[in-house]
Amino acid sequence: MSEDRATSAVPPQGAYVPAVVHGGMVWTAGMTPRRNGQLLVRGTVGREVDVATAREAAGIAAGNTLTAVAEALGSLDAVERAVKLTVFIAAVDGFTEHAAVADGASAVLLERLGDRGVVARAAIGVATLPSGAPVEVELLAAVRR
């Protein structure tokens, strides 16, 4: 198992795995906008990070969830459909553009999965996220049997 973590395109930042497959479903860990383990965007939306940048960061994080899924299943072809997308947004008090930020994650799912990427979605405002990330995305998908 440690070999999988060492070679993962989305290396865990703690004691967990990027994705778990069980019972015909795959769940991802929360993914932030990282490349090669490095956080690309840091800050609070509405303060250091504007909505356009947060939307792009959500897309990067969503791409990381798809990478974790592809690694766990061997290919995105094994995804029957994405089911639930949750986007956490570290935002200033009074921020109300959660959906606009989360649309960046939804766009990546649609681009990479087509109709299989249409999901139920939650966009949730929070005070802080790991490593100072502005967004964190997690995905639940059904696996082809």
Side-chain angles (χ1 to χ4, degrees), residues 43-93:
T44 303
V45 182
R47 187 174 304 130
E48 301 88 1
V49 179
D50 63 26
V51 170
T53 302
R55 178 186 166 101
E56 183 178 337
I60 293 166
N64 287 340
T65 68
L66 292 174
T67 297
V69 166
E71 288 181 352
L73 299 176
S75 163
L76 287 179
D77 292 338
V79 174
E80 181 177 339
R81 69 165 290 118
V83 176
K84 177 71 186 285
L85 178 70
T86 306
V87 181
F88 300 94
I89 302 151
V92 296
D93 187 35

Side-chain angles (χ1 to χ4, degrees), residues 111-140:
E111 175 187 311
R112 304 235 342 245
L113 296 174
D115 289 343
R116 297 177 299 140
V118 177
V119 294
R121 183 182 83 186
I124 302 166
V126 298
T128 64
L129 288 168
S131 303
V135 295
E136 182 172 357
V137 175
E138 61 184 30
L139 179 66
L140 170 63

